[in-house]
Amino acid sequence: EPEVTQTPSHQVTQMGQEVILRCVPISNHLYFYWYRQILGQKVEFLVSFYNNEISEKSEIFDDQFSVERPDGSNFTLKIRSTKLEDSAMYFCASSDSRGRTQYFGPGTRLLVL
Amino acid sequence: DQQVKQNSPSLSVQEGRISILNCDYTNSMFDYFLWYKKYPAEGPTFLISISSIKDKNEDGRFTVFLNKSAKHLSLHIVPSQPGDSAVYFCAAIISGSARQLTFGSGTQLTVLP
């Protein structure tokens, strides 16, 4: 069964460093998303992406964040200068042309020290 | 801004009995609802969904009921199995291209053997 994959599974970084989280969405899906879950809190929407541009973004997704689909398979989330409060699980998701049911990857656990 | 609420943080059920997980929402624009299951250190796994034009959707042991007038949905699992023990998230979406899911805070279901 097709699935969303994410790398790395864990990332530890120093505050102020840049990180890139990678995702390979399900191959025939058209819509791509990033969510995060801070420990003990809800899963929160960050950004959605369609047709090589951002469709929606939340207020969390400030200028420190960017997304890119550098080729036909990868979808990346870059955090330019990490802060302590960026420590969280980051989930990538994708959905098909109907765009309603989103399928999630296993997540990347980001720890900012 | 809690547009989707799961008021029970935990639920324990005996194996073989019915599990009922509840979810309330406030935004009347939501027109599609989903339940996800999540194990620790994994991403949310899609379980079942329902459109706002329906009041019931069934898939094997899982049934979702929607009461639009009460802005309430529930997930029934029958019979419950120990492998069902996980956190269950309710999520809602306003249909359209690449729209965000809004999640509830989750209910930890424990099925006792």
Side-chain angles (χ1 to χ4, degrees), chain A residues 31-33 35 37 41-45 48-50 55-58 89 91 95 98-107 109, chain B residues 1-5 31-32 34 36 38 41-46 49 51 89 93 95-105:
Chain A
Y31 303 104
F32 314 115
Y33 313 82
Y35 291 80
Q37 186 180 28
Q41 297 187 22
K42 286 188 179 187
V43 178
E44 302 174 287
F45 170 78
S48 61
F49 192 85
Y50 169 67
S55 296
E56 272 193 307
K57 59 182 182 178
S58 70
M89 281 289 287
F91 297 108
S95 60
R98 290 171 297 177
R100 294 193 301 185
T101 300
Q102 297 176 22
Y103 296 88
F104 285 76
R109 182 174 296 282
Chain B
D1 178 16
Q2 293 200 59
Q3 296 189 68
V4 178
K5 294 182 201 178
D31 60 358
Y32 197 71
L34 307 93
Y36 287 86
K38 187 179 180 304
E42 293 186 13
T45 301
F46 170 69
S49 59
S51 165
F89 290 98
I93 192 169
S95 293
S97 299
R99 301 305 298 271
Q100 60 176 288
L101 285 172
T102 301
F103 281 86
S105 53

Side-chain angles (χ1 to χ4, degrees), chain B residues 5-92:
Chain B
K5 294 182 201 178
Q6 293 176 257
N7 291 319
S8 299
S10 63
L11 174 69
S12 290
V13 169
Q14 209 67 39
E15 180 178 5
R17 306 295 289 268
I18 185 170
S19 297
I20 301 176
L21 298 106
N22 293 302
C23 178
D24 298 294
Y25 63 96
T26 56
N27 189 340
S28 56
M29 297 292 291
F30 289 138
D31 60 358
Y32 197 71
F33 304 89
L34 307 93
W35 283 94
Y36 287 86
K37 174 180 177 180
K38 187 179 180 304
Y39 294 114
E42 293 186 13
T45 301
F46 170 69
L47 269 179
I48 192 169
S49 59
I50 188 166
S51 165
S52 60
I53 62 172
K54 296 187 173 182
D55 55 18
K56 177 182 174 182
N57 188 28
E58 191 172 349
D59 183 2
R61 296 186 297 115
F62 302 93
T63 303
V64 56
F65 295 92
L66 175 62
N67 182 335
K68 273 183 63 179
S69 60
K71 293 192 176 71
H72 177 83
L73 63 154
S74 60
L75 174 68
H76 292 209
I77 306 172
V78 56
S80 302
Q81 299 172 354
D84 295 331
S85 297
V87 178
Y88 288 78
F89 290 98
C90 167

